Amino acid sequence: MGPTASPGVPAVIPLWLEPLQRLVEAGGSVLVVIALVAMLLFSLALERVWYFRITYRRARRALIARWMARQDHLSWSALTLREAWARELIGRLRRPLPWLRLLVALCPLLGLLGTVTGMIAVFDSLAMTDTSQARAMADGVARATLPTLTGMAVAVVGLLFTSRLEQIIRREDQRLHDRLARAVEDTDA
């Protein structure tokens, strides 16, 4: 079965996109917005994985080398500088966390918006037909709850990633301070 087209408009949706088209038709336009938010959320998540695996580790090694190259490691100004450098590096790792949290919080709200608009459409169609068909109402309610399900699923996965990233940041903050202190001890020994 090929894609359906309006009269006079050619069908341009490939066959492999038909399931997505049916999903959007079932859940409404809010599902498209949730999908866009999910793509942004998971793009930020992939960027953080890439940053942590490649860029952060290089920057951490460079910071330790820069700290080791200093002559003074024990004065108050040297320790303050070390703390500032470490805070800056960890701050770069932490930078997208507010955006990730915002997108995670936005997903259930968008799902709720989709459910409310879907329920309004169900009650509107029932009012127009002047019949109380339980089957039609059940089908409409099921279609209306699809955005909430989708929003909650995206939010749960995003929340899992965000909490894992926060755990990694706390661990890396401690490791960075330990490595900087250990680097000084190794040179003094």
Side-chain angles (χ1 to χ4, degrees), residues 44-56:
L44 280 172
L46 285 174
E47 184 274 334
R48 279 296 95 182
V49 169
W50 177 269
Y51 179 82
F52 177 71
R53 298 265 182 205
I54 310 252
T55 309
Y56 171 76

Side-chain angles (χ1 to χ4, degrees), residues 27-105:
S29 60
V30 174
L31 263 183
V32 175
V33 176
I34 293 172
L36 292 173
V37 169
M39 288 182 349
L40 181 60
L41 176 68
F42 297 132
S43 296
L44 280 172
L46 285 174
E47 184 274 334
R48 279 296 95 182
V49 169
W50 177 269
Y51 179 82
F52 177 71
R53 298 265 182 205
I54 310 252
T55 309
Y56 171 76
R57 289 181 179 176
R58 281 190 206 142
R60 182 182 62 199
R61 283 192 295 271
L63 175 63
I64 292 171
R66 187 169 47 163
W67 175 247
M68 292 298 300
R70 287 183 51 85
Q71 296 298 319
D72 178 23
H73 294 120
L74 301 176
S75 71
W76 177 84
S77 61
L79 295 176
T80 303
L81 182 62
R82 182 183 81 177
E83 182 64 31
W85 285 350
R87 197 175 314 128
E88 177 190 349
L89 186 60
I90 295 299
R92 281 188 267 158
L93 190 59
R94 193 182 308 262
R95 188 173 297 147
L97 271 177
W99 290 105
L100 289 169
R101 287 187 195 123
L102 174 73
L103 294 173
V104 165

Side-chain angles (χ1 to χ4, degrees), residues 4 16 18 22 34 40 44 46 65 73 82-83 86-87 93 108 114 121 135 143-145 166 171 175 182-183 187:
T4 58
W16 60 275
E18 275 188 38
R22 285 196 296 271
I34 293 172
L40 181 60
L44 280 172
L46 285 174
H73 294 120
R82 182 183 81 177
E83 182 64 31
R87 197 175 314 128
L93 190 59
R135 175 93 175 139
R143 292 174 76 181
T145 56
E166 288 173 341
R171 183 189 70 205
R175 280 185 181 175
R182 197 172 344 129
T187 58

Side-chain angles (χ1 to χ4, degrees), residues 27-31 34 108-120 143-148:
S29 60
V30 174
L31 263 183
I34 293 172
L109 296 175
L110 288 171
L112 185 61
L113 175 66
T115 297
V116 168
T117 56
M119 291 302 291
I120 289 171
R143 292 174 76 181
T145 56
L146 186 60
T148 298

Side-chain angles (χ1 to χ4, degrees), residues 118-137:
M119 291 302 291
I120 289 171
V122 166
F123 293 134
D124 190 40
S125 69
L126 287 176
M128 294 294 223
T129 60
D130 286 334
T131 60
S132 57
Q133 297 175 349
R135 175 93 175 139
M137 185 168 176

